[in-house]
Amino acid sequence: MPIPYEISTDPARLDAARVHHWLSTDAYWALGRSRETQDRAIAGSLNFGAYDPGTGEQVGYARVITDRATFAWLCDVYVAPAARGRGLGRALIEAVCGHLEPYGLRRTLLATHDAHGLYEKAGFRPLESPGHWMARETR
């Protein structure tokens, strides 16, 4: 069944206020994120919006940080509550992966607390050597 939504990377279509509201109030990984921080994240990223074709209303979002040569980080994947359960999350992830495919990236990473099954459908797997990875956290 085709997903009745449009997915676009056009930054002019993003509803930044809506994205900030979603993430800062309903996404466990971004609760309390400031609007300034979200706006900077959007400005420095490849952004994907999902839109209702009838109304043009934004109903989903995903963000990718990438050098477009070797690496990408998929983050801030969010589907509005009213649009959930219709395959939009999977379609959004597949659109991201399809968009990144021509770059020939060696690795695309993400982190999730509760959506492993969704990402596995798009080919994501646990790291083979998680002990090799390190993080520097400042907060």
Side-chain angles (χ1 to χ4, degrees):
M1 169 172 68
I3 303 301
Y5 297 105
E6 298 171 6
I7 298 174
S8 172
T9 58
D10 181 356
R13 291 186 73 182
L14 285 179
D15 184 338
R18 179 174 295 212
V19 169
H20 172 255
H21 176 76
W22 284 338
L23 297 179
S24 67
T25 65
D26 192 39
Y28 67 84
W29 64 90
L31 293 175
R33 183 182 290 172
S34 73
R35 175 66 191 268
E36 176 193 9
T37 297
Q38 185 60 48
D39 287 347
R40 283 187 293 135
I42 288 171
S45 302
L46 173 60
N47 300 279
F48 293 77
Y51 305 90
D52 180 304
T55 66
E57 176 184 14
Q58 187 171 347
V59 294
Y61 177 73
R63 183 168 71 87
V64 177
I65 303 158
T66 183
D67 61 9
R68 292 178 171 86
T70 63
F71 179 81
W73 180 268
L74 173 58
C75 54
D76 290 345
V77 177
Y78 186 90
V79 174
R84 291 178 187 165
R86 300 180 194 156
L88 180 55
R90 183 172 180 180
L92 193 53
I93 294 162
E94 288 175 355
V96 167
C97 292
H99 187 92
L100 295 176
E101 187 72 28
Y103 299 131
L105 305 176
R106 177 181 171 144
R107 179 173 286 125
T108 300
L109 293 177
L110 62 84
T112 185
H113 180 72
D114 59 357
H116 296 79
L118 175 65
Y119 292 107
E120 286 172 351
K121 291 175 184 172
F124 287 88
R125 300 287 177 261
L127 293 172
E128 280 186 33
S129 302
H132 292 182
W133 291 86
M134 297 177 70
R136 179 177 181 264
E137 298 186 26
T138 58
R139 290 189 191 201

